[in-house]
Amino acid sequence: MASQAVKKAITEAALQYTKPEGKVFEYGTAGFRMKASLTELYSDLLNTVVFAVGLLASLRSKKLSGQWIGVMITASHNPAEDNGVKLVDPMAEWEAYATKLANAPLDKIADVYDELVKEIDVKVTNPARVVFARDTRASGSRLAGVLNAALTATDVEFVDFKFMTTPQLHYVVRCKNTLGTQYEYGEPTELGYYEKLANSFKKVMRGVKVQGSLTVDCANGVGGPKLRELMKSLTGIDIKVVNDDVINPDALNFDCGADYVKTKQRAPPSSKAGALDRCASLDGDADRLVYYFQDESNVFRLLDGDRIATLAASFIGDLARNAGIASKLKIGVVQTAYANGSSTDYIEKVLKLPIICTNTGVKHLHHAALRFDVGVYFEANGHGTVTFSENALKVIKNTEPQSPAQQHALESLQALTDLINQAVGDALSDMLLVEAILAHKGWSPKEWLGTYTDLPSRLVRVEVNDRSIFKAYDAERKLESPAGLQGTIESLQSRYNKGRSFARASGTEDAVRVYAEAASRSEADDLATRVANAVSEAGSA
Ligand SMILES: CC(=O)N[C@H]1[C@@H](OP(=O)(O)O)O[C@H](CO)[C@@H](O)[C@@H]1O
Ligand SMILES: [Mg+2]
């Protein structure tokens, strides 16, 4: 049971805020996320939610006997006025506790905290440790203050890392929790992060050179200043940083960034890149990355998360073969229903690797990736990384090379395990991975694009009265309700060459997303429109 003193401290701290009436919060695909504006209707929406997440982090850390828990304040690719908060190590049942705390009336929140202490069986005398950070949104410092209040009220030891990318915070959490163990991940500081990336990049690049320069659009978010910091440690790569304005509060994700490029399927209007120039875009908290270029006919060409996954899987597969350890490593790829059908075909038929399809949201992909020795997971939108099992790390480390070529492959694999942020998808680490692979293969983005041809696809957002009636199954590829809709979608898609379509309720926006792909642009568009109409009709019934 929480002590009276702690409960009093929680209540006093909580009552500084106002809980918006009639609003029900839900921990979604990426934590809690919404408008954060202080001036509008939404005024204090996020304060109570962040406060609740602070209490939750405290409970979780105590439950894990003082393990470090990370809390990130960000709304990623959402507009500048939004904000959000997420825990670094999310677990399904804890999302329900988060939702419970977030919806508790503020004068009762200490009681709910206490109920959870009993329900989860938390030893309240255990220490609790939390690290937190935020992206560059204007509302971030206010919300960091709220988090501070919740942590202080529950006697948590905490470190405020101020501005960080989401993956940097994940990195720090993993470093802190592995310090002094055989799995020590690195120095738990921002500088430690840069040095780990830069050193391993140098090792992976032994004997090869990056061709030409890379232009990186930083979405005017926290990735900009952090990339500039990373560049101080990096050698052998010419990066041109664009869209790194973190002073103008409205610039974030506006007409730039990975989400803009992926959804609009075009370069940021401000782009000055010439034909065949290699370009990349990060999102607002730098955990997403997409590549693109303009071909010789000035046609925009996108290299999205599916492309990064196929590139990484093929490279790691080659290295494993060259190192003579392919039979000892189970390499696999994890995708969601949004992966382009051509990428799935390519992985199965050309790379001959197994695929797992999961629900949307990196937490699902990450979890599935751990089932492989080397799990390559990416969402089509550019969210992803590669995980290495304990067995994989051991095999890579302990295999005795029989030839210089084998030794080189083993060393490259070893360096890759350091270059890749295994804690979470990380745009900066993924970017160095892509650059290294292209250099090794001697490929320009054109050769990379040439590995397979994407099916034209369309993603549509449909607003409905109540999106919760859209219940999906089979890794969100099918709908069990509203009744009859799945049958309609299937009969529509069967009319198109290579037609595939599905609909699911978004976990981050109040809408249903419809995805469609088909053999031609017009068929994909047509299928998307028809399915969107069917969804809209079912949603207004
Ligand atoms: C189709 C799509 O891109 N969905 C995104 C989006 O989730 P939704 O649940 O679809 O709103 O935001 C998530 C968090 O950033 C991201 O993980 C996911 O891939
Ligand atoms: Mg993001």
Side-chain angles (χ1 to χ4, degrees), residues 20-140:
E21 258 173 59
K23 172 84 191 164
V24 180
F25 299 112
E26 204 180 329
Y27 198 97
T29 321
F32 295 105
R33 202 183 282 187
M34 61 209 79
K35 297 267 177 255
S37 164
L38 268 176
T39 50
E40 298 172 24
L41 170 74
Y42 297 107
S43 92
D44 291 316
L45 268 192
L46 265 166
N47 288 345
T48 51
V49 166
V50 170
F51 192 83
V53 169
L55 298 186
L56 186 81
S58 143
L59 286 172
R60 180 134 178 86
S61 180
K62 281 178 193 286
K63 177 73 188 174
L64 300 173
S65 309
Q67 195 174 302
W68 288 92
I69 299 294
V71 179
M72 183 71 196
I73 299 170
T74 177
S76 185
H77 60 277
N78 286 30
E81 65 271 23
D82 289 15
N83 215 333
V85 61
K86 56 188 175 186
L87 279 191
V88 155
D89 79 329
M91 282 183 61
E93 68 266 33
W94 283 76
E95 291 178 9
Y97 307 146
T99 304
K100 211 169 189 177
L101 278 167
N103 290 302
L106 293 173
D107 57 346
K108 298 273 178 337
I109 199 167
D111 294 331
V112 175
Y113 178 86
D114 208 23
E115 280 162 27
L116 286 176
V117 165
K118 282 173 227 147
E119 188 179 335
I120 314 168
D121 191 18
V122 172
K123 200 162 165 226
V124 282
T125 49
N126 275 355
R129 302 188 176 93
V130 170
V131 283
F132 64 91
R134 59 186 202 261
D135 69 16
T136 53
R137 282 158 213 274
S139 55

Side-chain angles (χ1 to χ4, degrees), residues 76-77 86 283 285-288 383:
S76 185
H77 60 277
K86 56 188 175 186
D283 72 336
D285 62 338
D287 60 359
R288 274 206 217 176
H383 236 149

Side-chain angles (χ1 to χ4, degrees), residues 28-29 90 92 95 334-336 356-371 377 379 476 504:
T29 321
E95 291 178 9
V334 184
Q335 301 191 309
T336 71
I356 300 177
C357 182
T358 72
N359 283 3
T360 299
V362 265
K363 59 191 176 194
H364 300 292
L365 288 100
H366 191 95
H367 190 72
L370 299 178
R371 285 160 57 185
Y377 76 82
E379 291 189 310
E476 303 179 328
R504 60 172 272 282

Side-chain angles (χ1 to χ4, degrees), residues 7 214 239 241 272 297 322 413 481 492:
K7 285 179 69 176
L214 170 70
I239 296 176
V241 180
K272 295 187 177 63
S297 327
N322 296 343
L413 274 173
S481 81
L492 285 170

Side-chain angles (χ1 to χ4, degrees), residues 296-345:
E296 292 98 330
S297 327
N298 277 329
V299 176
F300 170 81
R301 300 291 188 172
L302 179 67
L303 295 150
D304 61 5
D306 301 339
R307 297 283 183 171
I308 301 175
T310 50
L311 186 73
S314 105
F315 183 62
I316 295 173
D318 288 348
L319 280 181
R321 269 184 294 279
N322 296 343
I325 55 174
S327 62
K328 294 189 190 146
L329 298 184
K330 193 165 175 230
I331 304 178
V333 180
V334 184
Q335 301 191 309
T336 71
Y338 294 102
N340 196 280
S342 294
S343 73
T344 312
D345 262 7

Side-chain angles (χ1 to χ4, degrees), residues 220-235:
N220 295 318
V222 67
K226 301 306 177 188
L227 174 56
R228 288 199 185 279
E229 284 303 311
L230 170 63
M231 284 161 63
K232 291 181 187 163
S233 308
L234 271 181
T235 50

